[in-house]
Amino acid sequence: MSVDFRKLKSFVKVVDAGSVSRAAGLLRTAQPALSQQIAALESHFKHKLLLRSNHGIVPTEAGLILYRHAQLLLKQIEQAQIDIDQSTKALAGRVSIGLATYSASSTLSLPILKEMSTLHPQIIVHINDSFGYVLSELIMTGRMDMAVIYGSGPIKGVKLQPLFREELYLVSRSEKAVKKLADEPLPLSALADVKLLLPSQGHFLRRLIDESLARARVTPNVVSEIESVSALGAAVTEGLGATILPASVAASASSFEGVEVRRLVRPAIEATVSLCESDHLPLSEPALATRSVLLTVVEKLMRSHPQGIRTV
């Protein structure tokens, strides 16, 4: 028996809905017919794929593996149809990009959208720069096309292309209520008594900051963990504490008005920012075009924000 994509689509819908009856309604098909499709898949793969639980229907371990592969296959088929339909027209489709929060890369969203609107207006660009997701995992599973993330690898299932290195600065409220760059650098040892507002411990940036402070033998005085750039900027400008960020983020974010940005030394805190792509899933034509635009925008970023950003 061959597995057709209709059965895989039905299986994915059942897992997403957590119910055969709900999935049947969404697919506008009879429930017995949907159950037969699931049974046919279980017969083909010789594994139980779904289990009933108190929370509805959930995939088994084998079902979870099939679910992941089915998502990738269906996405490729969908993009193939789009590519075929648009083969004689301008590039079109949907491309998803992740941008690391609290990185200079988070400032790329507007320039990317502007360039794509001019060069490829029929490509729909989805940008994700929110917390709560591990961007490399979204790339690995095919749920996102590419991302600009902290780190230089190796990470299983993805390949990383280092783009630039960014230096982190202390950002605190300015006494004169204007945004400025302080002349004198500050050693990390001076942060022992400074109230800090930092991202949560699961964030790459937080781990990097904690490791650097530990090398300087400083126990950080973290008074709040904030996972919102706008909320962080408001808290800093209100004087609730200082934070540690790339200078470009503090310079470009409107919520960071009236702050002082000071370079940190002994040791300086630097992070590598890389382009993350799947190491096993090819990019579609629209995604390749978007990737080219992204790299061009990164080059412009490095020229326009030389403070704290350098080539790898």
Side-chain angles (χ1 to χ4, degrees):
M1 182 199 79
S2 62
V3 178
D4 61 47
F5 290 104
R6 185 170 58 91
K7 292 186 178 68
L8 290 177
K9 183 178 180 180
S10 298
F11 174 73
V12 167
K13 188 64 70 175
V14 170
V15 174
D16 288 339
S19 163
V20 173
S21 59
R22 281 199 296 270
L26 293 170
L27 293 169
R28 296 183 178 179
T29 187
Q31 185 173 335
L34 189 56
S35 297
Q36 287 177 3
Q37 292 180 37
I38 302 301
L41 287 174
E42 291 181 329
S43 174
H44 175 78
F45 289 106
K46 297 180 175 59
H47 279 279
K48 187 74 174 175
L49 300 175
L50 299 174
L51 291 174
R52 293 189 180 276
S53 72
N54 294 334
H55 303 291
I57 287 181
V58 296
T60 62
E61 284 298 316
L64 190 58
I65 292 172
L66 178 61
Y67 176 76
R68 291 169 180 164
H69 282 283
Q71 282 186 311
L72 301 181
L73 289 169
L74 292 171
K75 180 180 178 182
Q76 288 180 304
I77 288 297
E78 179 184 1
Q79 187 59 55
Q81 185 64 61
I82 293 172
D83 291 345
I84 291 169
D85 292 341
Q86 299 294 331
S87 59
T88 59
K89 304 176 185 178
L91 284 174
R94 182 180 182 278
V95 179
S96 53
I97 306 171
L99 299 176
T101 315
Y102 289 160
S103 162
S105 66
S106 63
T107 65
L108 299 176
S109 56
L110 185 56
I112 289 173
L113 292 173
K114 285 183 175 179
E115 288 288 322
M116 291 298 295
S117 177
T118 300
L119 299 176
H120 306 290
Q122 295 187 48
I123 296 178
I124 299 172
V125 180
H126 169 75
I127 292 181
N128 181 345
D129 64 352
S130 62
F131 280 91
Y133 296 97
V134 178
L135 295 177
S136 60
E137 290 184 2
L138 298 180
I139 300 293
M140 181 177 61
T141 58
R143 295 165 61 191
M144 185 173 287
D145 294 300
M146 66 196 77
V148 181
I149 67 171
Y150 279 117
S152 55
I155 302 176
K156 182 180 178 181
V158 301
K159 56 185 178 182
L160 298 181
Q161 175 188 339
L163 298 175
F164 56 86
R165 289 183 64 81
E166 58 186 14
E167 193 171 351
L168 306 186
Y169 289 65
L170 182 73
V171 182
S172 57
R173 183 169 68 171
S174 171
E175 294 302 322
K176 297 182 179 180
V178 293
K179 192 179 294 186
K180 69 172 185 176
L181 179 64
D183 296 326
E184 291 295 323
L186 190 70
L188 285 187
S189 58
L191 300 184
D193 298 320
V194 175
K195 293 180 179 180
L196 292 177
L197 311 168
L198 299 178
S200 62
Q201 293 183 339
H203 195 281
F204 177 92
L205 199 63
R206 173 63 181 277
R207 297 197 298 271
L208 180 64
I209 292 169
D210 286 347
E211 290 168 4
S212 299
L213 290 173
R215 287 199 299 273
R217 298 182 179 178
V218 173
T219 301
N221 179 20
V222 180
V223 295
S224 291
E225 295 182 338
I226 302 176
E227 301 194 342
S228 162
V229 173
S230 59
L232 180 63
V236 171
T237 55
E238 282 293 318
L240 300 181
T243 190
I244 299 175
L245 288 173
S248 57
V249 176
S252 59
S254 59
S255 56
F256 282 93
E257 290 299 331
V259 297
E260 179 179 276
V261 181
R262 174 169 289 188
R263 184 166 180 257
L264 294 169
V265 294
R266 298 200 299 271
I269 308 177
E270 285 191 335
T272 299
V273 177
S274 300
L275 176 64
C276 177
E277 302 172 73
S278 170
D279 65 2
H280 59 285
L281 297 173
L283 291 176
S284 66
E285 289 299 320
L288 288 171
T290 305
R291 180 184 187 275
S292 177
V293 168
L294 186 153
L295 293 176
T296 299
V297 169
V298 167
E299 289 181 6
K300 292 180 179 178
L301 169 74
M302 295 177 65
R303 291 196 298 268
S304 61
H305 292 284
Q307 188 69 44
I309 298 178
R310 62 181 179 85
T311 56
V312 178

